[in-house]
Amino acid sequence: MDEDALEYHKTDPPGKIEISTTKSTNTQRDLSLAYSPGVAAPCREIAAEPDDAYQYTTKGNLVGVISNGSAVLGLGDIGAQASKPVMEGKGVLFKRFADIDVFDIELDLDDPDAFVESVAAMESTFGGINLEDIAAPDCFEIEERLRDRLSVPVFHDDQHGTAIISGAALLNAAEIVGKDLADLEVAFAGAGAAAVATAKFYVSLGVPRENITMCDIDGILTTERAESGELNEYNRQFARNGPDGDVADAMEDADAFVGLSAGGIVSQEMVRSMADDPIVFAMANPEPEIGYEEAKAARDDTVIMATGRSDYPNQVNNVLGFPFIFRGALDVRTTEINEEMKIAAAHALADLAKQDVPDSVVKAYGDQPLQFGPDYIIPKPLDTRVLFEVAPAVAQAAIESGAARIELDVDEYVERLEARLGKSREMMRVVLNKAKSDPKRIALAEGTDETIVRAAAQIEERGIAKPVLIGDENEIHSTVVNLGLEFDPDIVDPAGGECEAYADHLYERRQRDGITQREAESLIRDDTNYFGSVMVDRGDVDAMLTGLTNHYPSALRPPLQVVGTADDAEYAAGVYMLTFKNRVIFVADATVNQAPDEDVLEEVTRHTAELARRFDVEPRAALLSYSDFGSVDNEGTRKPSEAARRLREDSDIDFPVDGEMQADTAVLEEMLTDTYEFTELERPANVLIFPNLEAGNIGYKLLQRLGGADAIGPMLVGMDKPVHVLQRGDEVKDIVNLAAVATVDAQDSHS
């Protein structure tokens, strides 16, 4: 591990962070705007109005991670320079999880006065200060003085991070074992910065101060020890008027144990001495006060166990806190991170743990079951939803408590946060909002599948659509119960009373295509794809999703046979929306038509452009080939060329379209404008029509995997009624997104 870590850090370029520009610097004019003489203009504005620094500089998204290296986790007092890898790592986490930029600053200062003066002098640079790895008791004094002095938030993560995350865990652990925080007896091992801050925070959450017994290396903190001068001004507030003792004495009959001390100091016998269904947070790193397996095996009742380690359930990891707390604080320009904001963060984390866990998170943690209960009381760090839950809660608490200098609409704020995580979220938000404005009934053909059931619960909870699960009613209800979902699904069982009418409908539609009445009855009874297709065709539902457990062609066949294509369409096609950091591209056809002729290409272009507009994207279409505007003349190149010509000459087409052209010509502005100035496309294309299925499928997958694009789809266009075919192995979020697309399709068809 050490060798791997050293190689990781020294690989060129050394370290883990770099500075990158956010504005164009390609021309002399760009450089003149970036520096001299253009930079004078924002300087004058800020000189006249200091708060304009948030408008013209990075201050509003820049945090200083500052340390003197006097108490680096697991390493102790290693000095400022040796702590730099840790501070760089903190910057990586800020950027990775909350898109916050960081300057790490290591100050070779042991004197608290000098440290405070140095940090205070940098207030103009930063929107917030994260103090890190500073030894107690200096860390308490430094934070207090800087908070009083600075107008930007100051947060010592070693104190408050552990407090907030373990506080969220405590809220849920107490709920699971049926205990009230006001009745909890809590024993602490450790009396340093993290322990004192955590104990104070538990008091804020509702644990009575007199119910906390704190121990340091010399035993229980007592009033006698405080009066003798053994305790500092910070931990003496938890001194108890009682007998001396050690950690074992403190843990006897305690409801909860909180370890922020040293590894291996707690035995199984000590855990057995605790009250019924004990809560054990052994958070010393890298070795906890007692091992996970040891604590769980110590007794027969419920032991809710948390550690600081990632290889066991319930990891108390500060990364669940500081990036998102600072995100919320920066976005409302708070003057501090106060107790109300910290409490809001803890409750947001606790509430999130009760929600269904995304498939991507489950996969990231080895496909282990993640469901609210003793082994899952706090979210996982890689759960992207933490940003959308914690940052808004912190921002709202800042506004309500008076710490914020600007206000915001929380719903709009969530949308801005989603945009930070990628263009796909921003684009899907457009469709999701449209779907919520008028939810439609959507049939989910594979209704007994666990992933489909979870997706249906989210679709209904978020108000995107009204899901209808097709399948065995008892099996679906059993799945809902096993998943612990608070969801009363709308179920249509093919074995029910609709079977005969649906078989008649299918027979009427397909009797001249080789299907007998008996075969129609069998298909309706045994194949939920046919059942769902008839539901859509009859108007009993507004749309349908299928394909999660079937190959694409077999899933597509029933809706094509029953629902068919629209009146103005002869062909269906599969479209993917590919989102890059600052760009969106729709690609077709990637799933349906193997060797399209000019008629198919023309129609697919029309439908794909219509789809782009549902995402509020004005289409610019390019029909692709391996030649540019006749540079190669053969049967293959003539098809896209002819389709493009027809579209250009069609007076009903109100978007630019051209072709045939090579892919780089279509997407690079300099090639379009410099080499082919005659083209109809004045800007790069955002609708790419591939010449055949093989090229389309290869192309979108290369763009997705090598180009780093997020792919949404395939979205089926050209159908008479909204039907979309999922990909095998799609996750819950993919199903939810496609349900939103189907709902918007249905809204359009009803308008």
Side-chain angles (χ1 to χ4, degrees), residues 183-204:
D183 300 323
L184 287 186
E185 292 285 344
V186 184
F188 272 77
V196 171
T198 299
K200 289 176 66 176
F201 188 65
Y202 286 7
V203 172
S204 296

Side-chain angles (χ1 to χ4, degrees), residues 612-635:
R613 282 182 167 148
R614 289 181 206 148
F615 287 86
D616 289 350
V617 173
E618 277 303 309
R620 301 183 300 275
L623 285 90
L624 303 182
S625 183
Y626 63 94
S627 71
D628 279 317
F629 307 106
S631 62
V632 176
D633 184 19
N634 59 35
E635 182 181 359

Side-chain angles (χ1 to χ4, degrees), residues 8-20:
Y8 175 88
H9 283 81
K10 77 176 183 180
T11 300
D12 195 48
K16 301 186 286 287
I17 57 177
E18 67 178 3
I19 300 296
S20 63

Side-chain angles (χ1 to χ4, degrees), residues 628-700:
D628 279 317
F629 307 106
S631 62
V632 176
D633 184 19
N634 59 35
E635 182 181 359
T637 62
R638 288 184 207 124
K639 293 175 184 178
S641 178
E642 174 62 16
R645 184 193 64 77
R646 293 180 189 176
L647 290 162
R648 289 196 305 272
E649 294 177 357
D650 189 335
S651 60
D652 292 332
I653 298 299
D654 59 352
F655 57 88
V657 57
D658 215 333
E660 87 290 9
M661 66 180 75
Q662 295 184 16
D664 53 350
T665 303
V667 299
L668 293 177
E669 186 167 3
E670 56 268 29
M671 292 191 68
L672 279 171
T673 57
D674 295 349
T675 308
Y676 303 106
E677 68 281 356
F678 57 82
T679 180
E680 296 291 320
L681 299 177
E682 296 180 357
R683 296 172 58 198
N686 54 22
V687 171
L688 303 181
I689 309 301
F690 284 86
N692 55 54
L693 181 60
E694 188 175 22
N697 195 267
I698 292 170
Y700 102 79

Side-chain angles (χ1 to χ4, degrees), residues 418 425 428-429 432 435-436 439 455-465 732-733 736-737:
E418 288 196 331
R425 289 179 176 271
M428 276 309 307
R429 177 57 58 182
L432 289 166
K436 291 177 183 179
Q458 287 195 25
I459 290 165
E460 181 171 284
E461 180 184 358
R462 296 170 65 178
I464 293 166
V732 169
K733 67 178 179 63
V736 172
N737 285 342

Side-chain angles (χ1 to χ4, degrees), residues 13-36:
K16 301 186 286 287
I17 57 177
E18 67 178 3
I19 300 296
S20 63
T21 59
T22 60
K23 303 294 189 297
S24 174
T25 55
N26 295 326
T27 67
Q28 179 59 41
R29 177 171 173 75
D30 290 340
L31 297 178
S32 296
L33 292 172
Y35 194 52
S36 179

